[in-house]
Amino acid sequence: MGTRILTVEDDERIRTAVKLALEDEGWTVDEAGSGEEAIDLFHRASPDVVLIDIMLPGIDGFELCRHLRKTSDVPIVMVTARADTHDVVAGLEAGADDYLTKPFAPKELSARIRALLRRIRPMSPGHTKLVFGDLEIIPDEGKVTRAGVELHLTKTEFRLLVELGQSPGRVFSRESLLDKVWGYDYFGDGRLVDVHIRRLRTKVESDAANPRHVVTVRGLGYRLQS
Amino acid sequence: MTEAVEAPPADSFRARVGRNVARFRPQRVGLRTRILLIFTMGFLILSVFLATITYGFTRSTLVNQRDRAIVEQAYRDAGVALNDLRLSPPSAQPVIDNLSRLGIGYPLLNYRDVWTAGSARFGPEAIPGVLKDRVLIDGVPSRMIITVSGERLLVVGIPLPEVGAAYFEFASMSDVSSTLRSVGLSLMFAGFITTLFGVVLGAVASRRAVKPLGDAAQAAKAIAGGRLDTRLETTDDPDLKLLANSFNDMASALQQRVERDARFASDVSHELRSPLMTLAASVEVMQARRDEMPERAQAALDLLVGDVTRFQGLVEDLLEISRFDAGAIRLHREDLLVAEFVRQAIGVSSMPQTPLTVTERAERLVMHVDRRRLARVIANLIDNARLHGGGEPEAIVCEADNEGEPIGHVWISVQDHGTGVPLDERHLIFERFARGAVAGRRSSSDGAGLGLALVDEHVRLHGGNVWVEDRLDGEPGARFVIELPAEEVGI
């Protein structure tokens, strides 16, 4: 079965054009014109990637995103009006993995989707188990436990954690994380890393305000330690 | 009255000035000076008026009192002389002696037409004829103020017809004069102090009166400078309230209008984005099937693709610049190595092969900037060089030229091989859509439009400067320089 993509967008013309462009990439595209329709379709079609426009009638994009996150770790791409508003951070906090600003070129969108799909694939073999104090990461199985309890991470969060865990103690700059996890170049948005680190901490740390494992190294980046 | 006298010449002077030489127009006196002058003049006139009245009143009171005392004394002395003369002495000398003994200074008696004086200085010759006549001939008691060798005196003449004599007495008024002099001096001093007080009061009052105007002027300046939310403080003063309210109403109306204009540009761009999205996606689908199309359709598609891209760029620029106008830009600043940043920015620009030269010291410079915004600045400059500067741009990063001083700024420059920018167009080139006005001769019609205006806005938001000059190596071509604050770090 090929890759399935769900696009949620209330403007029918845009939806159709994006669908045409994405189908050219060889993907199957399902369309939803509202949040309610999207929730219904999501459970029936179980897509691999969801594309959500924040400006939706009824349930808005943030709400839809939070709803999907309750039950699923599916990669979500947000479409926002502007890159410098709170929308981006709010969208990422609601659970989106990446974002695009209108108007974007479909090529850009397919590049982002490909990067997200790549993230799902298993990591390089060799490390069967990474241990950081009470944290245990099993990359091949996509499993993380803290004190023996399994944690539910999204695919991007998991990928970020493994990236940090593969070189214990090493400091990763935002740029290198953007490159490795999201496939962005030098000009990627550092907020992607910051918000995901924040979300990761609320899951893997017992006290997210005073992180013990995912530590900020001021001016340089982030590090994973036991 | 003063005005009536002065006005006509002033008018005719003005008229003459108007006709002949306008530059000799007299400087108009300012409001503050006028208020100060009015206060000073008012207090001066008031104090002169009060002093004059006080002086006159004091003077008449003093003189009257003295006059009455002298006359009373003279009658008493005349009574003494009368008693003595009733004895019909042969001469008046013993009477005078008796009076002198009693302490009377300057008595004078006419007894049986013979004058006898108590003092040689005040003899009958000192008495004016008029007084003599009135006393001796008319037989009326009279008095008169006379001056004898600079001294003011009161002469009182009393006829004593019972004994065929007339008594005269001289009394000095000089003590009254000196009292009056000191009173006058005190009044002048008081008048001076009052006038001075008037000056001070005038200065304070004029400052207070002009202060609301100064506030209004400052507020107007602030509004002109872009701080549209500036308002005048509201006040209880009914006169000032009018000024403050109408000023604030004007400012609100202006602000609303400016905001509406800014929002319009932003709204238009936002509205354009949805159809643009559809266009971009559809064009891409068509482009994937370009090979299946006939040749003419291919040519049309190529045009379409090119202009959709251009359209997209223009809408993005418009949105960005309307964000500047709305003051809605928030910079995400971070410390970046200048050279590394410029290398990366060139890499994602439309000409990634652009050569970059970095001076040795500039390799160690760090700046605190918004990475993605500044990357657009570099990209725009390179686009500008590509479109208008004959292609083949070169980028240079060097420390700002301030010998000896520690490095405070970095210069990032992009130079081209075009015709350069004439001196008188250099400040115009950063205006929005300056292409029409300036770049008639700048070859391509492929729009710069907002590119350089955005460069200017971005750089200024970062606390830097941008300008254009000739190439430093003397070859034809323009050199755009961005100056940004930077620090040298040890590596």
Side-chain angles (χ1 to χ4, degrees):
Chain A
M1 194 181 87
T3 304
R4 284 191 91 92
I5 296 167
L6 172 62
T7 76
V8 192
E9 157 73 64
D10 62 326
D11 187 325
E12 194 199 329
R13 305 174 65 85
I14 296 181
R15 211 166 61 220
T16 313
V18 168
K19 176 184 156 89
L20 287 173
L22 291 182
E23 280 172 348
D24 273 3
E25 300 283 339
W27 298 324
T28 312
V29 180
D30 298 308
E31 301 170 66
S34 71
E36 291 81 351
E37 206 180 320
I39 291 168
D40 180 46
L41 209 57
F42 180 79
H43 294 302
R44 280 193 285 119
S46 54
D48 300 296
V49 176
V50 182
L51 180 67
I52 302 176
D53 190 331
I54 282 179
M55 305 281 270
L56 286 176
I59 300 179
D60 71 8
F62 301 117
E63 195 54 48
L64 175 61
C65 201
R66 270 190 290 271
H67 184 89
L68 296 185
R69 268 289 165 264
K70 271 184 215 157
T71 55
S72 164
D73 60 359
V74 66
I76 299 175
V77 181
M78 283 273 198
V79 177
T80 69
R82 278 155 55 161
D84 63 347
T85 53
H86 297 298
D87 284 8
V88 171
V89 173
L92 293 174
E93 305 236 331
D97 296 273
D98 204 344
Y99 74 91
L100 281 168
T101 332
K102 257 191 197 173
F104 54 84
K107 274 203 191 76
E108 217 181 314
L109 172 61
S110 32
R112 307 276 27 108
I113 292 175
R114 263 195 296 273
L116 286 171
L117 291 172
R118 201 164 49 235
R119 244 171 270 171
I120 304 168
R121 307 271 144 69
M123 313 293 314
S124 52
H127 296 286
T128 48
K129 198 179 194 182
L130 301 164
V131 183
F132 294 88
D134 58 354
L135 266 190
E136 278 187 24
I137 310 164
I138 308 162
D140 290 341
E141 295 174 26
K143 238 175 87 175
V144 184
T145 59
R146 191 181 73 208
V149 182
E150 189 172 349
L151 303 172
H152 296 283
L153 300 188
T154 68
K155 292 189 164 53
T156 306
E157 288 158 3
F158 184 74
R159 175 73 199 265
L160 185 60
L161 186 64
V162 171
E163 204 57 66
L164 288 168
Q166 276 183 329
S167 312
R170 189 189 136 190
V171 179
F172 289 85
S173 67
R174 280 205 193 86
E175 290 81 64
S176 69
L177 289 174
L178 272 174
D179 172 36
K180 289 189 159 71
V181 180
W182 282 269
Y184 274 113
D185 61 15
Y186 185 80
F187 296 101
D189 188 345
R191 289 177 297 177
L192 279 174
V193 180
D194 297 341
V195 176
H196 274 87
I197 289 278
R198 211 147 65 215
R199 268 168 44 193
L200 188 60
R201 277 177 183 157
T202 60
K203 293 180 181 174
V204 303
E205 301 282 355
S206 45
D207 178 8
N210 300 296
R212 281 193 309 121
H213 298 300
V214 186
V215 205
T216 307
V217 184
R218 234 186 122 66
L220 293 175
Y222 300 99
R223 183 173 69 189
L224 189 63
Q225 63 185 29
S226 42
Chain B
M1 201 169 90
T2 338
E3 275 172 27
V5 174
E6 275 181 12
D11 273 350
S12 64
F13 175 63
R14 201 166 294 161
R16 206 154 13 98
V17 163
R19 268 198 310 278
N20 301 336
V21 267
R23 67 198 134 113
F24 285 138
R25 198 187 181 93
Q27 181 90 42
R28 214 163 128 55
V29 181
L31 179 59
R32 279 182 69 162
T33 319
R34 267 184 288 157
I35 293 176
L36 188 65
L37 277 178
I38 287 168
F39 264 80
T40 310
M41 290 304 290
F43 271 73
L44 186 66
I45 289 169
L46 189 71
S47 54
V48 165
F49 178 70
L50 280 178
T52 312
I53 286 185
T54 311
Y55 185 80
F57 188 70
T58 313
R59 195 192 139 141
S60 71
T61 311
L62 272 177
V63 169
N64 284 347
Q65 265 176 9
R66 183 78 181 130
D67 186 90
R68 208 161 39 237
I70 290 169
V71 170
E72 273 170 19
Q73 181 67 43
Y75 270 99
R76 266 200 303 277
D77 296 346
V80 173
L82 181 63
N83 273 340
D84 290 354
L85 289 174
R86 279 212 183 100
L87 304 170
S88 304
S91 103
Q93 192 58 49
V95 181
I96 295 292
D97 290 345
N98 187 28
L99 283 172
S100 294
R101 246 196 324 278
L102 286 170
I104 310 302
Y106 313 118
L108 175 65
L109 264 175
N110 181 304
Y111 181 54
R112 293 173 185 161
D113 288 331
V114 178
W115 292 94
T116 312
S119 157
R121 219 177 124 211
F122 299 103
E125 63 284 349
I127 301 171
V130 191
L131 188 65
K132 266 186 207 160
D133 291 350
R134 272 184 71 81
V135 177
L136 296 178
I137 297 166
D138 302 343
V140 181
S142 301
R143 65 185 199 282
M144 192 177 215
I145 289 175
I146 58 164
T147 307
V148 175
S149 53
E151 194 183 359
R152 276 164 67 83
L153 297 154
L154 184 69
V155 191
V156 185
I158 303 162
L160 303 168
E162 218 180 307
V163 292
Y167 177 74
F168 291 87
E169 191 173 307
F170 296 86
S172 173
M173 298 278 275
S174 60
D175 50 344
V176 174
S177 304
S178 78
T179 307
L180 279 178
R181 228 187 342 267
S182 54
V183 167
L185 266 175
S186 319
L187 285 174
M188 249 167 77
F189 183 68
F192 178 71
I193 294 290
T194 312
T195 310
L196 211 65
F197 181 68
V199 172
V200 172
L201 207 66
V204 173
S206 66
R207 188 169 311 151
R208 289 204 59 164
V210 175
K211 188 176 174 288
L213 293 182
D215 290 349
Q218 228 161 30
K221 215 174 191 175
I223 288 175
R227 293 201 299 283
L228 290 172
D229 54 347
T230 311
R231 294 289 181 276
L232 278 183
E233 245 176 81
T234 48
T235 157
D236 297 335
D237 188 317
D239 299 327
L240 296 181
K241 209 182 204 166
L242 191 68
L243 172 70
N245 285 352
S246 47
F247 184 92
N248 288 347
D249 288 349
M250 178 209 72
S252 303
L254 190 66
Q255 185 178 16
Q256 270 173 19
R257 201 191 166 115
V258 167
E259 280 171 0
R260 202 173 53 221
D261 287 354
R263 211 167 37 237
F264 179 72
S266 165
D267 289 349
V268 167
S269 324
H270 273 283
E271 288 300 316
L272 285 175
R273 291 193 305 180
S274 293
L276 201 50
M277 268 272 9
T278 314
L279 273 178
S282 308
V283 158
E284 206 173 290
V285 173
M286 284 165 78
Q287 219 181 357
R289 287 159 187 76
R290 187 176 183 276
D291 295 342
E292 304 162 20
M293 292 181 181
E295 205 173 305
R296 290 181 65 82
Q298 280 183 5
L301 178 63
D302 291 346
L303 283 175
L304 199 57
V305 170
D307 269 17
V308 165
T309 313
R310 193 169 126 189
F311 192 15
Q312 212 159 351
L314 199 57
V315 167
E316 269 167 34
D317 284 355
L318 261 175
L319 272 172
E320 185 78 357
I321 214 142
S322 66
R323 252 169 258 160
F324 272 109
D325 290 347
I329 300 262
R330 277 188 298 275
L331 292 180
H332 301 284
R333 288 180 184 253
E334 50 195 325
D335 285 328
L336 297 176
L337 271 171
V338 181
E340 172 62 14
F341 166 79
V342 176
R343 231 168 257 134
Q344 297 280 359
I346 290 173
V348 295
S349 73
S350 60
M351 299 193 80
Q353 301 308 317
T354 302
L356 170 68
T357 317
V358 183
T359 61
E360 197 192 317
R361 284 186 83 180
E363 285 283 5
R364 296 190 299 272
L365 290 179
V366 166
M367 56 186 177
H368 192 63
V369 295
D370 185 316
R371 168 194 313 232
R372 304 209 293 165
R373 289 221 144 79
L374 207 59
R376 283 197 62 181
V377 169
I378 308 283
N380 282 359
L381 285 183
I382 287 176
D383 279 347
N384 180 67
R386 176 172 59 90
L387 298 170
H388 306 292
E392 292 177 28
E394 301 149 26
I396 302 160
V397 174
C398 63
E399 61 275 14
D401 197 6
N402 51 346
E403 286 161 33
E405 301 278 311
I407 297 173
H409 289 88
V410 63
W411 283 349
I412 303 170
S413 40
V414 175
Q415 53 187 21
D416 57 43
H417 290 285
T419 50
V421 183
L423 263 179
D424 54 339
E425 288 177 7
R426 285 185 186 173
H427 65 286
L428 292 173
I429 201 163
F430 294 103
E431 305 262 318
R432 295 172 192 185
F433 298 110
R435 207 172 37 135
V438 177
R441 86 196 73 170
R442 283 158 75 81
S443 56
S444 170
S445 66
D446 197 359
L450 288 166
L452 288 176
L454 272 173
V455 166
D456 185 44
E457 299 270 11
H458 275 129
V459 171
R460 272 195 294 157
L461 198 63
H462 277 90
N465 278 311
V466 60
W467 66 88
V468 60
E469 56 191 27
D470 288 327
R471 281 176 69 109
L472 294 184
D473 55 12
E475 284 181 43
R479 176 177 189 250
F480 286 82
V481 186
I482 306 166
E483 183 185 66
L484 287 169
E487 260 180 280
E488 196 169 8
V489 292
I491 292 180

